[in-house]
Amino acid sequence: MEYDIIFVLGERYFDHPLCGIAILKRWLEKNGYSVGVIETPNNSEDIKKLGKPRLFFGVSSGAMDSMVRNYTALKREREKDEFLGYEKKAPDRAVTVYCNWIKEKFKDSLIVIGGTEATLRRFSHYDYWDNEIRKSILFDSRADILVYGPGEKQILEIAEKVKNKKELREIKGTCIKTREKKEGFIELPNHEEILESKEKFCTMQNLLSNWENLAQKTGNFYVLQYESPRYTSKDLDEYYELGFTRRLDNKMKGFDFSVVTHRGCIGNCNFCSLRLTMGDKIVSRSEESIIREIKSFTKMPNFKGVVDDLGGPSANMYGMDCFLCKKECINCSKLDRSNKKMISLLKKVREIPGVKKVFVRSGIRYDLANEEYLRELKHHISGKLKIAPEHVNKKILQLMNKDKGNLEEFIKKFKEAGGGDLAFYFMTCHPGSSMKEAKELKEKIKQLKNAESVQIFTPTPMTVSTCMYYTELNPATKEKIYVPKTFREKKEQKRILGLKDYRKK
Ligand code: SF4
């Protein structure tokens, strides 16, 4: 069979809405395209498996950057990790490697790159593993176009344009490499400037946004970013109800009947890449669509009445949709903090005939959870409720952009609501953290007793915290900050906390 589009994926493929490529495949099929998937190819011969696509290859490392997936924060190759279901399946810099294999076997085939790795490497970026600034991944991969963020709208537009032999220009949510300068685009400091100046790197960081047309000169080329398209509730309802078989393999068992309620995160934590991957505005599905999806489970033979998870990046951001401006929602008085939509949804889903239990296993943002929500949530907790305060030192929390909550107050509220046990997650070695701050965290952990795990900060490409790590400056103020960089200090900052690390650093 000759496919219109062939996806090459650096992780396992599942016909399940938790797999981004599965959504794209079903969405394209619904719109009349035939789609094949090659999962975790081992060499260029594997790329030939399904022949040459009529329109293009779509390449993605999957939900994680391949370097983050393959290496620990101390740059050790990650071993097989039962807890994360991790096995090395994709090569380092998977997107570039796959594109080179495609070029080797199908020289003139068009290549579209997307997913987390492409999204976080769309402009010049600091690469922790090479300890250097790399150019946009459009250069190394030699791909024709890059899709950033969620990709359903972009991939369909690209398919239509390629089918109709139109140029791949002006597509919202994509980046291209071109020789022409474009008017009306915000210009980032060019690649050569940021190689020379850490201040310029900070300037670039402060300008990064999914909501702007951006341009960056690199040598004789410009990398152009067309602003992100707006995804709506209606769009998400359509994507998540595409009739997936939901079959997962044994390693993913326990998530079969997970339901995605929304996309995006308004938290804007500086160490997190969600702002650039999923976006910093919430888009929630309609209540009706979520209920329809859960009702459809009750007709599946393997459904035992348990919804494994009802959530998104932070479960309680459901319903906090607002697109009035491009500013940071978490600080805004207009943000709907009532939790009413989430509460209403929880009440309704547990009344669906055939549903015995609905779990909320996604973490929650504790500073956005009110008493009424917590009283409701206690019906939906499986084991302990996961909370990620990340740190306790005010200065570190400010550098993380996570200083709005009051942990003590939340614990009190949670107990009063009869919520059960909490599991706390922390991060050490974030820029700003010396042994002094690590010791402060240690004291708090002793007091809390039920701290679950700690991770060493990993500088993933294009985050604000990674900018701090590389420049040793706070990009917001350009003030100098202390950054723990040696492995010896990182190990020591982690060791004194006396906690296990679920990611085996
Ligand atoms: S008005 Fe406030 S809540 Fe709405 S988008 Fe702007 S910052 Fe976010």
Side-chain angles (χ1 to χ4, degrees):
M1 169 170 186
E2 193 184 15
Y3 290 99
D4 291 321
I5 293 145
I6 296 174
F7 285 114
V8 179
L9 177 63
E11 63 187 12
R12 283 210 184 79
Y13 174 80
F14 304 106
D15 182 35
H16 192 287
L18 291 181
C19 174
I21 292 292
I23 302 181
L24 296 186
K25 180 177 187 297
R26 285 207 167 250
W27 178 234
L28 285 162
E29 285 169 349
K30 188 177 177 192
N31 283 281
Y33 295 93
S34 57
V35 182
V37 178
I38 301 172
E39 59 169 16
T40 61
N42 291 315
N43 48 49
S44 60
E45 284 305 304
D46 285 349
I47 294 291
K48 285 170 34 189
K49 263 185 200 167
L50 303 178
K52 186 184 176 193
R54 259 191 294 262
L55 302 180
F56 59 85
F57 276 102
V59 175
S60 168
S61 76
M64 279 176 100
D65 182 277
S66 56
M67 299 306 282
V68 177
R69 193 197 279 123
N70 290 347
Y71 295 91
T72 70
L74 298 178
K75 298 191 187 179
R76 278 216 320 267
E77 205 166 342
R78 221 181 270 285
E79 290 156 17
K80 194 173 156 130
D81 187 331
E82 296 298 336
F83 187 89
L84 288 173
Y86 171 78
E87 252 177 277
K88 183 162 179 172
K89 287 276 181 188
D92 293 354
R93 311 198 185 282
V95 169
T96 300
V97 171
Y98 295 158
C99 288
N100 287 333
W101 289 346
I102 294 168
K103 291 272 175 206
E104 187 189 319
K105 298 296 174 191
F106 302 103
K107 205 166 180 277
D108 56 344
S109 189
L110 202 123
I111 304 178
V112 178
I113 55 175
T116 300
E117 187 161 317
T119 293
L120 295 181
R121 295 174 184 271
R122 61 189 127 148
F123 290 113
S124 299
H125 55 278
Y126 171 69
D127 183 277
Y128 171 61
W129 301 272
D130 278 357
N131 191 26
E132 65 174 29
I133 307 290
R134 292 178 71 105
K135 292 177 187 167
S136 163
I137 195 168
L138 279 167
F139 289 89
D140 283 346
S141 66
R142 296 178 289 153
D144 296 275
I145 188 164
L146 180 158
V147 170
Y148 67 89
E152 293 88 350
K153 282 180 190 277
Q154 296 94 309
I155 207 79
L156 193 57
E157 195 174 341
I158 291 169
E160 300 287 308
K161 287 205 165 176
V162 178
K163 191 172 82 180
N164 296 312
K165 304 201 176 352
K166 296 220 173 101
E167 276 201 352
L168 295 179
R169 302 260 160 154
E170 315 286 337
I171 302 174
K172 284 190 170 185
T174 68
C175 296
I176 54 165
K177 194 176 87 188
T178 168
R179 285 193 187 269
E180 304 136 45
K181 190 172 175 180
K182 186 104 171 122
E183 293 307 314
F185 278 54
I186 296 172
E187 208 161 320
L188 304 176
N190 69 42
H191 179 76
E192 289 70 26
E193 280 175 327
I194 65 163
L195 287 178
E196 295 300 319
S197 158
K198 292 193 171 173
E199 294 234 346
K200 291 274 185 194
F201 192 98
C202 290
T203 307
M204 173 184 75
Q205 187 68 45
N206 294 337
L207 290 169
L208 292 176
S209 162
N210 286 3
W211 304 116
E212 304 289 354
N213 289 327
L214 301 174
Q216 182 173 48
K217 192 165 187 285
T218 303
N220 295 324
F221 288 93
Y222 283 90
V223 173
L224 299 183
Q225 167 184 298
Y226 297 97
E227 67 172 274
S228 176
R230 292 273 172 91
Y231 283 84
T232 64
S233 299
K234 198 166 158 286
D235 294 325
L236 266 54
D237 288 354
E238 201 167 1
Y239 305 149
Y240 286 98
E241 289 190 83
L242 282 168
F244 303 89
T245 56
R246 310 187 77 90
R247 272 186 218 110
L248 296 174
D249 76 3
N250 286 338
K251 290 212 172 67
M252 290 283 288
K253 282 287 169 217
F255 292 94
D256 308 49
F257 296 102
S258 293
V259 178
V260 175
T261 54
H262 61 284
R263 284 184 182 172
C265 181
I266 53 173
N268 274 349
C269 297
N270 281 340
F271 52 81
C272 178
S273 52
L274 276 174
R275 184 170 79 92
L276 294 167
T277 52
M278 274 211 188
D280 57 2
K281 303 286 174 198
I282 301 296
V283 186
S284 301
R285 290 173 62 191
S286 69
E287 215 175 68
E288 297 75 27
S289 166
I290 294 169
I291 290 170
R292 265 198 309 275
E293 186 182 349
I294 297 177
K295 280 186 177 167
S296 76
F297 299 168
T298 62
K299 298 187 186 83
M300 293 182 169
N302 53 338
F303 183 64
K304 304 279 184 292
V306 178
V307 176
D308 299 310
D309 184 27
L310 185 74
S314 273
N316 57 329
M317 288 183 188
Y318 176 74
M320 294 188 177
D321 305 41
C322 186
F323 265 111
L324 287 175
C325 72
K326 295 174 183 170
K327 290 192 212 136
E328 206 176 27
C329 300
I330 197 86
N331 300 320
C332 179
S333 58
K334 291 198 184 112
L335 181 72
D336 178 2
R337 291 175 167 80
S338 68
N339 294 181
K340 278 202 166 59
K341 289 191 177 150
M342 188 67 200
I343 292 168
S344 159
L345 180 67
L346 289 174
K347 282 186 197 293
K348 287 183 185 160
V349 293
R350 50 176 201 261
E351 295 306 319
I352 297 173
V355 172
K356 292 185 212 146
K357 193 82 195 165
V358 179
F359 288 120
V360 175
R361 285 156 87 193
S362 307
I364 69 158
R365 176 88 188 196
Y366 76 85
D367 50 341
L368 290 175
N370 62 23
E371 285 89 344
E372 202 188 342
Y373 171 68
L374 292 173
R375 278 196 296 276
E376 209 57 49
L377 188 65
K378 71 179 181 212
H379 302 291
H380 300 275
I381 299 172
S382 155
K384 297 172 182 172
L385 179 68
K386 290 183 214 140
I387 300 292
E390 306 295 1
H391 215 284
V392 290
N393 174 275
K394 190 82 186 153
K395 182 191 78 187
I396 303 293
L397 288 170
Q398 276 166 355
L399 288 170
M400 290 176 165
N401 195 27
K402 202 157 186 172
D403 58 329
K404 310 294 176 314
N406 183 324
L407 187 59
E408 304 302 335
E409 248 175 47
F410 171 77
I411 295 171
K412 192 164 160 269
K413 259 196 299 189
F414 187 71
K415 274 191 189 147
E416 281 167 8
D421 290 329
L422 291 166
F424 297 102
Y425 290 74
F426 291 101
M427 180 186 286
T428 189
C429 305
H430 186 275
S433 172
S434 67
M435 288 305 289
K436 180 174 158 281
E437 286 77 19
K439 282 177 187 160
E440 191 180 330
L441 180 56
K442 176 190 165 187
E443 290 312 310
K444 187 68 190 179
I445 284 173
K446 267 205 249 165
Q447 199 189 322
L448 284 172
K449 296 191 180 70
N450 43 356
E452 192 85 354
S453 105
V454 64
Q455 60 168 317
I456 295 175
F457 164 69
T458 300
T460 39
M462 280 175 73
T463 69
V464 179
S465 298
T466 298
C467 172
M468 292 177 192
Y469 183 89
Y470 167 64
T471 62
E472 298 177 34
L473 298 170
N474 179 349
T477 59
K478 308 258 169 100
E479 279 163 9
K480 188 116 184 85
I481 45 176
Y482 175 75
V483 179
K485 285 200 170 169
T486 65
F487 288 173
R488 177 194 280 242
E489 181 176 357
K490 289 183 191 190
K491 281 185 194 166
E492 188 54 18
Q493 283 205 25
K494 188 189 141 206
R495 191 194 61 77
I496 64 160
L497 300 177
L499 284 179
K500 70 176 188 290
D501 183 343
Y502 71 101
R503 296 188 69 172
K504 296 190 177 167
K505 298 290 180 304

mmCIF file with all atom_site columns, all heavy atoms in Angstrom, residues 428-446:
data_model
loop_
_atom_site.group_PDB
_atom_site.id
_atom_site.type_symbol
_atom_site.label_atom_id
_atom_site.label_alt_id
_atom_site.label_comp_id
_atom_site.label_asym_id
_atom_site.label_entity_id
_atom_site.label_seq_id
_atom_site.pdbx_PDB_ins_code
_atom_site.Cartn_x
_atom_site.Cartn_y
_atom_site.Cartn_z
_atom_site.occupancy
_atom_site.B_iso_or_equiv
_atom_site.pdbx_formal_charge
_atom_site.auth_seq_id
_atom_site.auth_comp_id
_atom_site.auth_asym_id
_atom_site.auth_atom_id
_atom_site.pdbx_PDB_model_num
ATOM 1   N N   . THR A 1 428 ? 16.002 19.664 43.359 1.00 0.00 ? 428 THR A N   1
ATOM 2   C CA  . THR A 1 428 ? 17.194 20.315 43.902 1.00 0.00 ? 428 THR A CA  1
ATOM 3   C C   . THR A 1 428 ? 18.106 20.740 42.755 1.00 0.00 ? 428 THR A C   1
ATOM 4   O O   . THR A 1 428 ? 17.905 20.336 41.603 1.00 0.00 ? 428 THR A O   1
ATOM 5   C CB  . THR A 1 428 ? 17.912 19.389 44.912 1.00 0.00 ? 428 THR A CB  1
ATOM 6   O OG1 . THR A 1 428 ? 18.925 20.148 45.564 1.00 0.00 ? 428 THR A OG1 1
ATOM 7   C CG2 . THR A 1 428 ? 18.537 18.181 44.248 1.00 0.00 ? 428 THR A CG2 1
ATOM 8   N N   . CYS A 1 429 ? 19.104 21.571 43.077 1.00 0.00 ? 429 CYS A N   1
ATOM 9   C CA  . CYS A 1 429 ? 20.111 22.040 42.103 1.00 0.00 ? 429 CYS A CA  1
ATOM 10  C C   . CYS A 1 429 ? 19.536 22.981 41.043 1.00 0.00 ? 429 CYS A C   1
ATOM 11  O O   . CYS A 1 429 ? 20.163 23.186 40.001 1.00 0.00 ? 429 CYS A O   1
ATOM 12  C CB  . CYS A 1 429 ? 20.808 20.875 41.405 1.00 0.00 ? 429 CYS A CB  1
ATOM 13  S SG  . CYS A 1 429 ? 21.557 19.716 42.531 1.00 0.00 ? 429 CYS A SG  1
ATOM 14  N N   . HIS A 1 430 ? 18.358 23.538 41.283 1.00 0.00 ? 430 HIS A N   1
ATOM 15  C CA  . HIS A 1 430 ? 17.851 24.563 40.368 1.00 0.00 ? 430 HIS A CA  1
ATOM 16  C C   . HIS A 1 430 ? 18.789 25.777 40.466 1.00 0.00 ? 430 HIS A C   1
ATOM 17  O O   . HIS A 1 430 ? 19.355 26.029 41.535 1.00 0.00 ? 430 HIS A O   1
ATOM 18  C CB  . HIS A 1 430 ? 16.423 24.961 40.767 1.00 0.00 ? 430 HIS A CB  1
ATOM 19  C CG  . HIS A 1 430 ? 15.773 25.904 39.801 1.00 0.00 ? 430 HIS A CG  1
ATOM 20  N ND1 . HIS A 1 430 ? 15.945 27.283 39.865 1.00 0.00 ? 430 HIS A ND1 1
ATOM 21  C CD2 . HIS A 1 430 ? 14.974 25.683 38.734 1.00 0.00 ? 430 HIS A CD2 1
ATOM 22  C CE1 . HIS A 1 430 ? 15.264 27.849 38.880 1.00 0.00 ? 430 HIS A CE1 1
ATOM 23  N NE2 . HIS A 1 430 ? 14.670 26.904 38.177 1.00 0.00 ? 430 HIS A NE2 1
ATOM 24  N N   . PRO A 1 431 ? 18.970 26.550 39.378 1.00 0.00 ? 431 PRO A N   1
ATOM 25  C CA  . PRO A 1 431 ? 19.778 27.771 39.497 1.00 0.00 ? 431 PRO A CA  1
ATOM 26  C C   . PRO A 1 431 ? 19.364 28.586 40.723 1.00 0.00 ? 431 PRO A C   1
ATOM 27  O O   . PRO A 1 431 ? 18.175 28.767 40.993 1.00 0.00 ? 431 PRO A O   1
ATOM 28  C CB  . PRO A 1 431 ? 19.460 28.512 38.187 1.00 0.00 ? 431 PRO A CB  1
ATOM 29  C CG  . PRO A 1 431 ? 19.218 27.396 37.206 1.00 0.00 ? 431 PRO A CG  1
ATOM 30  C CD  . PRO A 1 431 ? 18.502 26.328 37.994 1.00 0.00 ? 431 PRO A CD  1
ATOM 31  N N   . GLY A 1 432 ? 20.366 29.060 41.450 1.00 0.00 ? 432 GLY A N   1
ATOM 32  C CA  . GLY A 1 432 ? 20.111 29.795 42.691 1.00 0.00 ? 432 GLY A CA  1
ATOM 33  C C   . GLY A 1 432 ? 20.354 28.938 43.917 1.00 0.00 ? 432 GLY A C   1
ATOM 34  O O   . GLY A 1 432 ? 20.528 29.445 45.026 1.00 0.00 ? 432 GLY A O   1
ATOM 35  N N   . SER A 1 433 ? 20.360 27.599 43.733 1.00 0.00 ? 433 SER A N   1
ATOM 36  C CA  . SER A 1 433 ? 20.440 26.702 44.890 1.00 0.00 ? 433 SER A CA  1
ATOM 37  C C   . SER A 1 433 ? 21.884 26.359 45.245 1.00 0.00 ? 433 SER A C   1
ATOM 38  O O   . SER A 1 433 ? 22.592 25.699 44.481 1.00 0.00 ? 433 SER A O   1
ATOM 39  C CB  . SER A 1 433 ? 19.669 25.411 44.565 1.00 0.00 ? 433 SER A CB  1
ATOM 40  O OG  . SER A 1 433 ? 19.885 24.462 45.579 1.00 0.00 ? 433 SER A OG  1
ATOM 41  N N   . SER A 1 434 ? 22.299 26.802 46.423 1.00 0.00 ? 434 SER A N   1
ATOM 42  C CA  . SER A 1 434 ? 23.605 26.387 46.949 1.00 0.00 ? 434 SER A CA  1
ATOM 43  C C   . SER A 1 434 ? 23.332 25.345 48.032 1.00 0.00 ? 434 SER A C   1
ATOM 44  O O   . SER A 1 434 ? 22.173 24.980 48.281 1.00 0.00 ? 434 SER A O   1
ATOM 45  C CB  . SER A 1 434 ? 24.340 27.598 47.533 1.00 0.00 ? 434 SER A CB  1
ATOM 46  O OG  . SER A 1 434 ? 23.639 28.042 48.674 1.00 0.00 ? 434 SER A OG  1
ATOM 47  N N   . MET A 1 435 ? 24.370 24.907 48.719 1.00 0.00 ? 435 MET A N   1
ATOM 48  C CA  . MET A 1 435 ? 24.167 23.930 49.800 1.00 0.00 ? 435 MET A CA  1
ATOM 49  C C   . MET A 1 435 ? 23.261 24.517 50.887 1.00 0.00 ? 435 MET A C   1
ATOM 50  O O   . MET A 1 435 ? 22.517 23.797 51.532 1.00 0.00 ? 435 MET A O   1
ATOM 51  C CB  . MET A 1 435 ? 25.513 23.508 50.408 1.00 0.00 ? 435 MET A CB  1
ATOM 52  C CG  . MET A 1 435 ? 26.340 22.609 49.516 1.00 0.00 ? 435 MET A CG  1
ATOM 53  S SD  . MET A 1 435 ? 25.485 21.110 48.972 1.00 0.00 ? 435 MET A SD  1
ATOM 54  C CE  . MET A 1 435 ? 25.411 20.195 50.487 1.00 0.00 ? 435 MET A CE  1
ATOM 55  N N   . LYS A 1 436 ? 23.326 25.820 51.063 1.00 0.00 ? 436 LYS A N   1
ATOM 56  C CA  . LYS A 1 436 ? 22.502 26.468 52.100 1.00 0.00 ? 436 LYS A CA  1
ATOM 57  C C   . LYS A 1 436 ? 21.009 26.209 51.815 1.00 0.00 ? 436 LYS A C   1
ATOM 58  O O   . LYS A 1 436 ? 20.248 25.792 52.701 1.00 0.00 ? 436 LYS A O   1
ATOM 59  C CB  . LYS A 1 436 ? 22.809 27.974 52.099 1.00 0.00 ? 436 LYS A CB  1
ATOM 60  C CG  . LYS A 1 436 ? 22.035 28.774 53.106 1.00 0.00 ? 436 LYS A CG  1
ATOM 61  C CD  . LYS A 1 436 ? 22.526 30.225 53.118 1.00 0.00 ? 436 LYS A CD  1
ATOM 62  C CE  . LYS A 1 436 ? 21.479 31.150 53.678 1.00 0.00 ? 436 LYS A CE  1
ATOM 63  N NZ  . LYS A 1 436 ? 20.428 31.494 52.729 1.00 0.00 ? 436 LYS A NZ  1
ATOM 64  N N   . GLU A 1 437 ? 20.591 26.425 50.592 1.00 0.00 ? 437 GLU A N   1
ATOM 65  C CA  . GLU A 1 437 ? 19.172 26.228 50.234 1.00 0.00 ? 437 GLU A CA  1
ATOM 66  C C   . GLU A 1 437 ? 18.819 24.740 50.270 1.00 0.00 ? 437 GLU A C   1
ATOM 67  O O   . GLU A 1 437 ? 17.711 24.361 50.643 1.00 0.00 ? 437 GLU A O   1
ATOM 68  C CB  . GLU A 1 437 ? 18.873 26.805 48.847 1.00 0.00 ? 437 GLU A CB  1
ATOM 69  C CG  . GLU A 1 437 ? 18.800 28.315 48.779 1.00 0.00 ? 437 GLU A CG  1
ATOM 70  C CD  . GLU A 1 437 ? 20.164 28.983 48.791 1.00 0.00 ? 437 GLU A CD  1
ATOM 71  O OE1 . GLU A 1 437 ? 21.159 28.285 48.487 1.00 0.00 ? 437 GLU A OE1 1
ATOM 72  O OE2 . GLU A 1 437 ? 20.245 30.178 49.128 1.00 0.00 ? 437 GLU A OE2 1
ATOM 73  N N   . ALA A 1 438 ? 19.783 23.893 49.887 1.00 0.00 ? 438 ALA A N   1
ATOM 74  C CA  . ALA A 1 438 ? 19.521 22.448 49.935 1.00 0.00 ? 438 ALA A CA  1
ATOM 75  C C   . ALA A 1 438 ? 19.294 22.008 51.384 1.00 0.00 ? 438 ALA A C   1
ATOM 76  O O   . ALA A 1 438 ? 18.420 21.180 51.673 1.00 0.00 ? 438 ALA A O   1
ATOM 77  C CB  . ALA A 1 438 ? 20.676 21.686 49.306 1.00 0.00 ? 438 ALA A CB  1
ATOM 78  N N   . LYS A 1 439 ? 20.069 22.604 52.307 1.00 0.00 ? 439 LYS A N   1
ATOM 79  C CA  . LYS A 1 439 ? 19.892 22.237 53.730 1.00 0.00 ? 439 LYS A CA  1
ATOM 80  C C   . LYS A 1 439 ? 18.537 22.715 54.245 1.00 0.00 ? 439 LYS A C   1
ATOM 81  O O   . LYS A 1 439 ? 17.892 22.040 55.042 1.00 0.00 ? 439 LYS A O   1
ATOM 82  C CB  . LYS A 1 439 ? 21.033 22.824 54.564 1.00 0.00 ? 439 LYS A CB  1
ATOM 83  C CG  . LYS A 1 439 ? 22.308 22.005 54.427 1.00 0.00 ? 439 LYS A CG  1
ATOM 84  C CD  . LYS A 1 439 ? 23.461 22.623 55.187 1.00 0.00 ? 439 LYS A CD  1
ATOM 85  C CE  . LYS A 1 439 ? 24.734 21.847 54.858 1.00 0.00 ? 439 LYS A CE  1
ATOM 86  N NZ  . LYS A 1 439 ? 25.946 22.610 55.141 1.00 0.00 ? 439 LYS A NZ  1
ATOM 87  N N   . GLU A 1 440 ? 18.125 23.875 53.779 1.00 0.00 ? 440 GLU A N   1
ATOM 88  C CA  . GLU A 1 440 ? 16.803 24.391 54.187 1.00 0.00 ? 440 GLU A CA  1
ATOM 89  C C   . GLU A 1 440 ? 15.706 23.427 53.704 1.00 0.00 ? 440 GLU A C   1
ATOM 90  O O   . GLU A 1 440 ? 14.765 23.118 54.438 1.00 0.00 ? 440 GLU A O   1
ATOM 91  C CB  . GLU A 1 440 ? 16.613 25.779 53.570 1.00 0.00 ? 440 GLU A CB  1
ATOM 92  C CG  . GLU A 1 440 ? 15.424 26.527 54.125 1.00 0.00 ? 440 GLU A CG  1
ATOM 93  C CD  . GLU A 1 440 ? 15.283 27.896 53.468 1.00 0.00 ? 440 GLU A CD  1
ATOM 94  O OE1 . GLU A 1 440 ? 16.281 28.508 53.049 1.00 0.00 ? 440 GLU A OE1 1
ATOM 95  O OE2 . GLU A 1 440 ? 14.109 28.348 53.367 1.00 0.00 ? 440 GLU A OE2 1
ATOM 96  N N   . LEU A 1 441 ? 15.874 22.950 52.504 1.00 0.00 ? 441 LEU A N   1
ATOM 97  C CA  . LEU A 1 441 ? 14.898 21.996 51.960 1.00 0.00 ? 441 LEU A CA  1
ATOM 98  C C   . LEU A 1 441 ? 14.911 20.703 52.772 1.00 0.00 ? 441 LEU A C   1
ATOM 99  O O   . LEU A 1 441 ? 13.863 20.128 53.076 1.00 0.00 ? 441 LEU A O   1
ATOM 100 C CB  . LEU A 1 441 ? 15.226 21.715 50.480 1.00 0.00 ? 441 LEU A CB  1
ATOM 101 C CG  . LEU A 1 441 ? 14.327 20.746 49.726 1.00 0.00 ? 441 LEU A CG  1
ATOM 102 C CD1 . LEU A 1 441 ? 12.863 21.169 49.778 1.00 0.00 ? 441 LEU A CD1 1
ATOM 103 C CD2 . LEU A 1 441 ? 14.753 20.642 48.252 1.00 0.00 ? 441 LEU A CD2 1
ATOM 104 N N   . LYS A 1 442 ? 16.098 20.287 53.150 1.00 0.00 ? 442 LYS A N   1
ATOM 105 C CA  . LYS A 1 442 ? 16.236 19.052 53.943 1.00 0.00 ? 442 LYS A CA  1
ATOM 106 C C   . LYS A 1 442 ? 15.430 19.167 55.253 1.00 0.00 ? 442 LYS A C   1
ATOM 107 O O   . LYS A 1 442 ? 14.715 18.245 55.649 1.00 0.00 ? 442 LYS A O   1
ATOM 108 C CB  . LYS A 1 442 ? 17.718 18.846 54.248 1.00 0.00 ? 442 LYS A CB  1
ATOM 109 C CG  . LYS A 1 442 ? 18.009 17.669 55.133 1.00 0.00 ? 442 LYS A CG  1
ATOM 110 C CD  . LYS A 1 442 ? 19.452 17.700 55.557 1.00 0.00 ? 442 LYS A CD  1
ATOM 111 C CE  . LYS A 1 442 ? 19.641 16.761 56.724 1.00 0.00 ? 442 LYS A CE  1
ATOM 112 N NZ  . LYS A 1 442 ? 20.968 16.867 57.296 1.00 0.00 ? 442 LYS A NZ  1
ATOM 113 N N   . GLU A 1 443 ? 15.542 20.320 55.931 1.00 0.00 ? 443 GLU A N   1
ATOM 114 C CA  . GLU A 1 443 ? 14.815 20.505 57.195 1.00 0.00 ? 443 GLU A CA  1
ATOM 115 C C   . GLU A 1 443 ? 13.310 20.390 56.972 1.00 0.00 ? 443 GLU A C   1
ATOM 116 O O   . GLU A 1 443 ? 12.596 19.766 57.753 1.00 0.00 ? 443 GLU A O   1
ATOM 117 C CB  . GLU A 1 443 ? 15.147 21.890 57.803 1.00 0.00 ? 443 GLU A CB  1
ATOM 118 C CG  . GLU A 1 443 ? 16.552 22.004 58.334 1.00 0.00 ? 443 GLU A CG  1
ATOM 119 C CD  . GLU A 1 443 ? 16.948 20.827 59.219 1.00 0.00 ? 443 GLU A CD  1
ATOM 120 O OE1 . GLU A 1 443 ? 16.185 20.490 60.139 1.00 0.00 ? 443 GLU A OE1 1
ATOM 121 O OE2 . GLU A 1 443 ? 18.009 20.213 58.964 1.00 0.00 ? 443 GLU A OE2 1
ATOM 122 N N   . LYS A 1 444 ? 12.840 20.969 55.885 1.00 0.00 ? 444 LYS A N   1
ATOM 123 C CA  . LYS A 1 444 ? 11.402 20.936 55.598 1.00 0.00 ? 444 LYS A CA  1
ATOM 124 C C   . LYS A 1 444 ? 10.949 19.502 55.291 1.00 0.00 ? 444 LYS A C   1
ATOM 125 O O   . LYS A 1 444 ? 9.884  19.062 55.725 1.00 0.00 ? 444 LYS A O   1
ATOM 126 C CB  . LYS A 1 444 ? 11.109 21.849 54.389 1.00 0.00 ? 444 LYS A CB  1
ATOM 127 C CG  . LYS A 1 444 ? 9.636  22.015 54.110 1.00 0.00 ? 444 LYS A CG  1
ATOM 128 C CD  . LYS A 1 444 ? 8.955  22.784 55.205 1.00 0.00 ? 444 LYS A CD  1
ATOM 129 C CE  . LYS A 1 444 ? 7.460  22.751 55.068 1.00 0.00 ? 444 LYS A CE  1
ATOM 130 N NZ  . LYS A 1 444 ? 6.807  23.480 56.139 1.00 0.00 ? 444 LYS A NZ  1
ATOM 131 N N   . ILE A 1 445 ? 11.788 18.799 54.560 1.00 0.00 ? 445 ILE A N   1
ATOM 132 C CA  . ILE A 1 445 ? 11.449 17.423 54.193 1.00 0.00 ? 445 ILE A CA  1
ATOM 133 C C   . ILE A 1 445 ? 11.321 16.560 55.459 1.00 0.00 ? 445 ILE A C   1
ATOM 134 O O   . ILE A 1 445 ? 10.405 15.747 55.579 1.00 0.00 ? 445 ILE A O   1
ATOM 135 C CB  . ILE A 1 445 ? 12.507 16.867 53.204 1.00 0.00 ? 445 ILE A CB  1
ATOM 136 C CG1 . ILE A 1 445 ? 12.253 17.461 51.815 1.00 0.00 ? 445 ILE A CG1 1
ATOM 137 C CG2 . ILE A 1 445 ? 12.487 15.351 53.148 1.00 0.00 ? 445 ILE A CG2 1
ATOM 138 C CD1 . ILE A 1 445 ? 13.296 17.132 50.778 1.00 0.00 ? 445 ILE A CD1 1
ATOM 139 N N   . LYS A 1 446 ? 12.232 16.798 56.412 1.00 0.00 ? 446 LYS A N   1
ATOM 140 C CA  . LYS A 1 446 ? 12.173 16.033 57.678 1.00 0.00 ? 446 LYS A CA  1
ATOM 141 C C   . LYS A 1 446 ? 10.844 16.291 58.379 1.00 0.00 ? 446 LYS A C   1
ATOM 142 O O   . LYS A 1 446 ? 10.179 15.397 58.869 1.00 0.00 ? 446 LYS A O   1
ATOM 143 C CB  . LYS A 1 446 ? 13.311 16.496 58.601 1.00 0.00 ? 446 LYS A CB  1
ATOM 144 C CG  . LYS A 1 446 ? 14.566 15.646 58.467 1.00 0.00 ? 446 LYS A CG  1
ATOM 145 C CD  . LYS A 1 446 ? 15.365 15.738 59.746 1.00 0.00 ? 446 LYS A CD  1
ATOM 146 C CE  . LYS A 1 446 ? 16.637 16.504 59.513 1.00 0.00 ? 446 LYS A CE  1
ATOM 147 N NZ  . LYS A 1 446 ? 17.348 16.979 60.658 1.00 0.00 ? 446 LYS A NZ  1
#
